[in-house]
Amino acid sequence: MRMVDLIIKKREKQELTKEEISFIIEGFTNKSIPNYQMSAFLMAVYFNGMTDEESTNMALAMMNSGDVFDLSSIEGIKVDKHSTGGVGDKVSIVLGPLMAACGAKFAKMSGRGLGHTGGTLDKLESIKGFNIEMSEKDFIKQVNEIGLAIIGQSDNITPADKYIYALRDVTGTVPAIPLIASSIMSKKLASGANAICLDVKVGSGAFLETITEAKKLAELMVNIGNLAGRKMSAIITSMDEPLGNNIGNALEVKEAIEMLKGGGPEDLKIVVYEICKQLLIAAEITCEKEAEALLDEKISSGEAFNKLVEMVVAQGGDKEVILNPELLPTAKYKIPFIAYKSGFIEEMDTEQIGVAGMLLGAGRRTLDDEIDMAVGLEFVNKVGAYVNKDDVICYLHANSKNVEQSLKILQEAIKIGKNKRVLKLIEGVIK
Ligand code: URA
């Protein structure tokens, strides 16, 4: 087989076989296929697309380029979720304990935040002592014993995806739906769960801005997972405002704890419950009609909260921080951002709001940047709310970094006007 023939085949809009796709992925991973040929291939995919079968074969070939977790020694159905990246998204920290309290096994490998989006690992590390590194053996043992674990991805998971993503980043081929779908699904399939629910974000804080694109991506990822023998579902959720009220690592853990104690913001609860529902049905723990009552009961009984405590203790974290969230890191200053005129909050440029949080130190511009666990934003008003001039829209929890710059970004990111806009949080469920 010659790479040039496969590039020409894709250029001519023909379908590649499983063997041909494996040849490309293996060759690029072992460096026998050079960057210039892979770039040409990626651009051909960008313009001509791939069939679902090609995308599935690409995801599987990428999955097989590195470690593949075998979770078969964990009893019961292993469930996992994935978000395509958002602002204020602390869903995994609430959902994992809830699913474990319902009897499912939540074996999750998470990532770090980059740019305007946060990462679950960073958030959990705001809990003193919390350890996200674990051997496969200890990971399996913990999930068997307490029903959940959240750890970092092994360095050798889907190396093909790492190399291809780096090349896509510099060749203008990131926003190609078959490439995004195979990239995400290769990692999900390598993580070994039986049932997976994807949260595909759409809107100003997401990397897909239209519902049509988000639906296409969700449908393709669901198809890939199903063809690979997994029970799949996806929900499409709005990122036209941050999820929940808090952005920033310790602030988000605090909000997750509040929800597990029966409080917390309604929009966060809606997203957590919808994903839980899909996973509970897939795991055959309950039916659609009874899912909500089961989740309510696991929260009101304190079982879900106790699962968070158990996970934190099992992973070396300080239990007292969960029992007394005021022990989480706090910032020196709490600075109000106030409404510059009266009216309804019509729009929030959520990506820019994420950037404002990142500049305070809640996120990183590059993977080497250090994070300040204490800082972030706390919203008291979001889209649709009426504010009078000088009412507080949000508080900046800040130390000394970039306060003026963040305030300026917020001023431009938040539009106040005459129209009361009602956001639709869940745009669709795909199975
Ligand atoms: N996230 C991924 O993991 N891969 C992509 O291609 C895009 C977003």
Side-chain angles (χ1 to χ4, degrees):
M1 234 182 269
R2 292 190 324 155
M3 182 63 178
V4 63
D5 298 325
L6 305 183
I7 297 169
I8 292 168
K9 203 170 170 186
K10 190 37 66 190
R11 188 194 70 194
E12 297 305 314
K13 302 190 174 71
Q14 289 166 21
E15 186 171 359
L16 297 170
T17 65
K18 184 172 185 188
E19 290 67 34
E20 288 167 337
I21 288 176
S22 296
F23 172 84
I24 295 170
I25 300 301
E26 281 168 29
F28 187 59
T29 309
N30 70 27
K31 306 212 178 341
S32 59
I33 291 173
N35 280 351
Y36 56 83
Q37 282 190 311
M38 193 63 180
S39 305
F41 172 73
L42 293 170
M43 194 54 90
V45 172
Y46 177 88
F47 282 112
N48 295 334
M50 276 182 152
T51 62
D52 284 9
E53 198 147 337
E54 285 179 297
S55 301
T56 306
N57 288 330
M58 181 129 162
L60 291 173
M62 281 156 73
M63 170 188 94
N64 286 323
S65 70
D67 294 345
V68 177
F69 275 67
D70 176 8
L71 303 182
S72 56
S73 54
I74 299 174
E75 287 155 37
I77 299 233
K78 279 71 72 179
V79 298
D80 194 1
K81 58 86 58 177
H82 178 80
S83 150
T84 57
V87 177
D89 186 348
K90 66 282 293 172
V91 167
S92 293
I93 304 170
V94 186
L95 181 135
L98 247 176
M99 290 304 298
C102 292
K105 296 287 164 61
F106 188 69
K108 172 110 184 94
M109 282 165 228
S110 279
R112 296 205 176 273
L114 188 60
H116 72 284
T117 62
T120 300
L121 297 182
D122 300 319
K123 294 169 197 181
L124 287 170
E125 281 180 342
S126 70
I127 302 164
K128 201 169 122 208
F130 194 90
N131 175 26
I132 53 95
E133 276 172 34
M134 212 184 280
S135 68
E136 185 173 348
K137 192 167 147 249
D138 289 342
F139 178 62
I140 287 173
K141 184 165 172 273
Q142 181 176 319
V143 178
N144 258 330
E145 281 173 6
I146 65 168
L148 80 163
I150 303 179
I151 61 167
Q153 264 171 17
S154 100
D155 280 346
N156 196 35
I157 210 159
T158 59
D161 177 58
K162 269 181 218 130
Y163 306 145
I164 293 171
Y165 196 88
L167 194 58
R168 284 168 60 204
D169 211 18
V170 293
T171 55
T173 51
V174 168
I177 289 192
L179 299 178
I180 299 170
S182 51
S183 162
I184 292 175
M185 287 308 294
S186 66
K187 289 173 281 207
K188 285 289 104 185
L189 297 175
S191 303
N194 313 106
I196 302 164
C197 182
L198 306 164
D199 181 2
V200 179
K201 303 284 188 196
V202 63
S204 65
F207 74 98
L208 296 177
E209 296 225 355
T210 71
I211 294 170
T212 313
E213 280 177 310
K215 272 206 172 120
K216 242 203 248 168
L217 176 64
E219 279 166 3
L220 178 54
M221 293 195 291
V222 164
N223 274 348
I224 292 174
N226 284 333
L227 286 167
R230 313 299 166 95
K231 289 186 172 183
M232 296 297 302
S233 55
I235 66 169
I236 296 168
T237 61
S238 169
M239 237 323 121
D240 276 333
E241 65 179 9
L243 184 62
N245 298 332
N246 291 2
I247 301 167
N249 299 285
L251 288 166
E252 292 192 41
V253 169
K254 187 164 164 262
E255 198 168 56
I257 293 171
E258 279 164 16
M259 188 180 152
L260 286 168
K261 285 187 149 174
E266 191 57 24
D267 60 343
L268 175 63
K269 182 174 169 184
I270 289 170
V271 174
V272 169
Y273 268 36
E274 188 58 51
I275 300 174
C276 281
K277 203 157 80 182
Q278 298 306 326
L279 292 173
L280 288 170
I281 295 166
E284 296 175 13
I285 289 175
T286 186
C287 60
E288 179 150 14
K289 239 171 76 195
E290 285 164 17
E292 189 162 336
L294 178 66
L295 294 165
D296 281 345
E297 197 260 313
K298 295 299 171 191
I299 287 183
S300 60
S301 66
E303 284 174 74
F305 176 75
N306 289 341
K307 280 290 165 198
L308 176 67
V309 175
E310 280 180 56
M311 177 178 80
V312 167
V313 171
Q315 295 189 222
D318 183 353
K319 172 181 164 177
E320 289 306 312
V321 174
I322 307 302
L323 299 177
N324 307 291
E326 62 279 6
L327 297 176
L328 281 160
T330 49
K332 241 189 264 173
Y333 309 107
K334 190 172 168 182
I335 302 155
F337 170 74
I338 54 174
Y340 48 89
K341 65 175 185 180
S342 297
F344 290 103
I345 300 181
E346 284 181 348
E347 244 177 73
M348 286 183 158
D349 182 334
T350 311
E351 177 173 350
Q352 285 309 305
I353 288 170
V355 169
M358 177 192 80
L359 288 171
L360 293 176
R364 36 173 98 73
R365 230 187 287 246
T366 73
L367 270 175
D368 302 325
D369 283 350
E370 241 183 67
I371 279 185
D372 182 340
M373 292 297 177
V375 303
L377 303 167
E378 179 190 352
F379 280 85
V380 287
N381 284 297
K382 296 203 299 181
V383 173
Y386 185 87
V387 285
N388 287 307
K389 186 173 182 303
D390 295 340
D391 277 355
V392 176
I393 293 180
C394 69
Y395 290 100
L396 283 72
H397 291 251
N399 284 320
S400 42
K401 213 169 145 188
N402 296 331
V403 172
E404 288 309 317
Q405 211 180 338
S406 294
L407 284 167
K408 192 158 170 278
I409 288 175
L410 290 172
Q411 182 87 11
E412 279 167 22
I414 298 171
K415 300 261 176 304
I416 300 173
K418 291 197 182 84
N419 303 310
K420 182 172 168 68
R421 182 168 165 217
V422 181
L423 283 183
K424 191 166 170 210
L425 182 55
I426 298 190
E427 294 282 359
V429 177
I430 286 151
K431 288 206 240 192

